[in-house]
Amino acid sequence: MTTTTTAADARIPAAHPFATHLKRAAALEAAEPHRPWTAQDGPLPSLYLSHGGGPMPFESPDWLTPLHDWARALPKPKAILVVSAHWESAPLSVSAERPSELVYDFGGFDALYYTFRYDTPDAGELARQVVGVMPDTGQVHRHTSRGLDHGAWVPLKIMYPAADIPVLQLSLPTEDPDRLLSIGERLRPLREQGVLVIGSGHMTHGLPFLTREMFLENKVPGWSSDFDAWAADALARGDVAELARFRTAAPGMPYAHPTVEHFTPLFVALGAATDPTAPVVTTLDGYGVGLSRRSFQAA
């Protein structure tokens, strides 16, 4: 069946890296269909992923292959819930269950990317599950039209290009790590039902301090590498308290995060883990335009 997503994908020039990625993904699926999650698999992990700059990951095999391989290494989720750096909104809110449009919240890129589609199935059941695990005192606002922003649809289009899994976004209602850990803990039971919980941000995100050398040579500044090393060490030790002190404890601040919304989704992912203090599994590291791409999964 032709969908708006597949029709839009068909218009991508054959020489584009993402067109090559789609062919690779289709070949892998044909050779070995992605096995759906079952209750026998136990809870899915929660993820924190660095989602790259706007649509830039679509142009780079350094993003495309690792993200897709990560998705294939996990059972195929029944649904996906994403907390993205690009939707800061209180009270806690969920996106539309069946939105008609994506949010193209980036500027200055090739017009092609504003024609990309990611039309996923109805997420009404997931919305009901999310509302159901939140406290009665914390009403969740349910939007009727808001679509997925690029912190959600860009990485997911790479990871699950068939667009055949229901996806819902949950807003980032606070910068407070303890409150975000608590929200993640509320989401923990969803993992036992085959829901993949994702915090989407970027391990370092000092956009005001990008230089020509960072763009052209992927030169890594000290503030980016120092922050990344600090975070990697704390995550390896399961030191959630240290991570929560990032504003004052982390080297490289505030350059690594002049605003904090690309780091704080990490606390939702950790809160959703069975044991937030257990060491995580790093699935993607290195740097893009000098910014840390560190991403991980927590059991």
Side-chain angles (χ1 to χ4, degrees):
M1 181 179 69
T2 299
T3 66
T4 53
T5 301
T6 55
D9 288 347
R11 294 192 291 269
I12 300 171
H16 194 286
F18 190 64
T20 302
H21 176 73
L22 290 174
K23 290 179 182 178
R24 175 183 182 269
L28 288 171
E29 183 66 21
E32 184 179 356
H34 195 173
R35 183 178 66 83
W37 177 89
T38 68
Q40 287 69 40
D41 290 308
L44 284 169
S46 57
L47 314 185
Y48 171 79
L49 63 84
S50 296
H51 59 241
M56 291 171 65
F58 290 129
E59 301 177 357
S60 173
D62 290 342
W63 288 96
L64 296 169
T65 300
L67 284 175
H68 187 251
D69 288 351
W70 186 8
R72 293 273 302 183
L74 302 173
K76 184 177 180 179
K78 293 180 66 175
I80 300 172
L81 180 67
V82 184
V83 177
S84 163
H86 296 279
W87 189 21
E88 296 178 272
S89 179
L92 198 63
S93 303
V94 292
S95 60
E97 298 164 11
R98 193 81 183 258
S100 59
E101 293 296 332
L102 297 173
V103 180
Y104 301 98
D105 50 341
F106 45 75
F109 293 95
D110 191 305
L112 171 70
Y113 298 119
Y114 302 90
T115 69
F116 274 26
R117 302 292 310 172
Y118 196 64
D119 297 295
T120 51
D122 187 283
E125 175 58 27
L126 179 56
R128 288 186 286 275
Q129 289 175 291
V130 171
V131 171
V133 297
M134 292 300 161
D136 293 338
T137 55
Q139 184 176 4
V140 179
H141 179 68
R142 298 172 71 166
H143 282 260
T144 58
S145 61
R146 190 190 193 280
L148 304 176
D149 63 51
H150 85 265
W153 71 264
V154 169
L156 292 181
K157 188 170 175 66
I158 294 170
M159 298 172 79
Y160 302 99
D164 57 354
I165 302 171
V167 179
L168 196 71
Q169 269 195 252
L170 185 67
S171 71
L172 192 63
T174 177
E175 296 179 347
D176 179 69
D178 290 334
R179 288 181 59 195
L180 293 173
L181 285 163
S182 178
I183 290 171
E185 185 175 359
R186 288 277 181 175
L187 300 174
R188 195 177 297 171
L190 300 186
R191 297 173 39 238
E192 301 171 358
Q193 301 171 53
V195 178
L196 187 64
V197 177
I198 300 177
S200 178
H202 220 295
M203 188 56 75
T204 59
H205 197 251
L207 296 189
F209 311 110
L210 295 182
T211 65
R212 178 180 176 84
E213 291 75 19
M214 292 171 71
F215 273 110
L216 298 181
E217 304 167 18
N218 195 21
K219 182 178 175 59
V220 180
W223 51 259
S224 187
S225 59
D226 290 349
F227 186 97
D228 176 69
W230 168 86
D233 176 70
L235 288 165
R237 292 184 290 105
D239 195 340
V240 179
E242 174 74 358
L243 291 164
R245 294 192 294 269
F246 71 97
R247 288 180 177 85
T248 55
M253 288 295 286
Y255 299 96
H257 289 284
T259 57
V260 302
E261 75 283 349
H262 278 75
F263 187 68
T264 52
L266 173 147
F267 295 105
V268 178
L270 289 178
T274 304
D275 180 2
T277 66
V280 304
V281 176
T282 298
T283 53
L284 182 65
D285 56 13
Y287 297 85
V289 297
L291 302 178
S292 170
R293 306 186 307 160
R294 184 171 300 279
S295 304
F296 63 79
Q297 64 184 51

